[in-house]
Every structure is written in structure tokens, then in C-alpha cells.
Amino acid sequence: MGDSKEERENHLCSLGRQDCHQSIMILQLISLVLFSALFMALLAKVAVPHAQTHRLEQIQQQLTQINASLAVLCRPCPWDWELFQGSCYLFSHTQGTWGASVTSCQKLGGHLVIINSAEEQRFMEYWNVRKKQRSWIGLSDHRLEDFWQWVDGTPLQLSFWKKGEPNNDEDEDCVELFTDEWNDNKCTAQNFWVCEQPSAPCPRH
């Protein structure tokens, strides 16, 4: 006997379900491919800024390291100069007259030392005692007798004279640091000398 109508309909439905199942599988596969492509596109968009950010962070770290290295290498004073309270000091290894010492300091971009405080005087004493020498400082009265003034033209206010000095013995118009105190001496005498100049700021990081 032939198939009944109901059996033929069930068979057709069965065939329809298989077609539908295959179609769904194909659609799912297509959807998966599209989703994968979309995910990769999104990942690429996110990855590029992230890579740029990471690179910028690396550059910033390198700059920080370079600045730190510069800070370590930075010298606020030239070589052979000593730093103290924002100024640089050069203690000479040669001798000269007071006038020649003034010129030497000017050529080096400074001036004969001007002592403005007890702390600066103690700093000078420390180095001068260590070197055991007489050193010119930037003080004289050669322009006007008994009017002591510094090389920058400011008058003397704070002094550290040795006892009995200044005595102007045989026209002594220039001042030397003698061990740990001041003494007036002839400007033509041969002494060591001390230059001073402002320190240079180091770069901040």
C-alpha cells in the first residue's frame, strides 16, 4: 500500500526540519565568522592606543632616568671650585698681587671673595688653615684711606680682624686672610687668592 497522507506530511516535515537544521548551522557559522571578525576589529582598535600609551610610558620613564642622571652629574660649581651656601669658591694654586688677583678672578667669571657672614668666614678659615697660606680677599681701602670696601663697592660692615689690625704699617691697603683672621698688607705682596661666583642651578626632575 502507498504511504498515507499523514505519513507523507510527516516525511515532508522531517525533510523540512533537516533543511532548517542545515540552514541554522550555516547561519550560525556565518554569525561566528562575523563575530570573530568584529572582535578582531575591536581588539585592533583597543590595541593600538594601548601600544601607544605603553610607548609613551616607556619614553617618560627614560626621560625621568635621564633627568635623574643629569641631576647626579650636574655640578653647580666649575671643576676645582668648592660649593658653600649658594656660592662657588676657588682657592688658587698660584700667587699674585692683590690687583692681579682681582683680574684673575674677573677672567674666571667671578670676583675676589666677599665675606658677608660668620658662617662664610668659618668656611674660609677651614680651607685656609688646611692650606696653611695667606690668601687675598676682596677688601681694600686703596681708594680712600681707612674706608674699607669690597670689590663690588659695598662698604665693610662685618669684620674679622686679627688683634691690632688693621694697622696700615707702611701703607697696607689690601686685606689677606692670615690663617683664620684678617690682616692688612701691602697690595704688591705676593699671596694666594680666593675667587667667588654664584652657583649654577641644576635641572629639576
Side-chain angles (χ1 to χ4, degrees), residues 131-190:
K131 293 178 177 294
K132 299 179 180 179
Q133 62 191 30
R134 295 172 182 244
S135 299
W136 290 125
I137 64 175
L139 184 65
S140 73
D141 71 342
H142 66 88
R143 292 180 182 174
L144 181 62
E145 192 64 37
D146 292 329
F147 180 68
W148 298 96
Q149 61 182 146
W150 296 102
V151 287
D152 66 352
T154 56
L156 176 65
Q157 295 181 338
L158 182 65
S159 62
F160 301 93
W161 296 106
K162 290 178 71 70
K163 186 177 181 179
E165 302 295 342
N167 58 11
N168 196 33
D169 185 23
E170 297 183 4
D171 198 26
E172 296 177 329
D173 292 332
C174 295
V175 181
E176 61 186 7
L177 182 61
F178 181 30
T179 310
D180 58 350
E181 294 176 295
W182 299 357
N183 175 59
D184 59 340
N185 198 352
K186 293 181 180 179
C187 297
T188 54
Q190 296 289 315

Side-chain angles (χ1 to χ4, degrees), residues 13-115:
C13 280
S14 177
L15 289 175
R17 283 197 296 271
Q18 288 177 359
D19 291 339
C20 285
H21 182 66
Q22 289 176 354
S23 299
I24 290 171
M25 287 182 63
I26 292 171
L27 288 173
Q28 287 177 338
L29 182 61
I30 293 172
S31 298
L32 181 61
V33 171
L34 291 174
F35 177 78
S36 299
L38 180 61
F39 178 77
M40 293 300 293
L42 289 173
L43 185 62
K45 289 182 179 180
V46 172
V48 170
H50 177 73
Q52 292 175 346
T53 302
H54 182 65
R55 180 59 182 160
L56 287 174
E57 289 176 352
Q58 286 182 328
I59 293 171
Q60 288 175 346
Q61 289 175 354
Q62 290 172 354
L63 288 174
T64 300
Q65 292 173 351
I66 291 171
N67 286 334
S69 299
L70 287 174
V72 172
L73 294 174
C74 174
R75 288 185 58 85
C77 297
W79 293 103
D80 296 330
W81 293 61
E82 301 295 333
L83 176 66
F84 179 73
Q85 291 187 347
S87 292
C88 303
Y89 301 83
L90 176 67
F91 297 83
S92 74
H93 299 288
T94 58
Q95 293 180 306
T97 64
W98 189 87
S101 301
V102 170
T103 301
S104 295
C105 288
Q106 289 174 342
K107 288 180 178 178
L108 292 171
H111 53 77
L112 270 181
V113 62
I114 298 173
I115 301 174

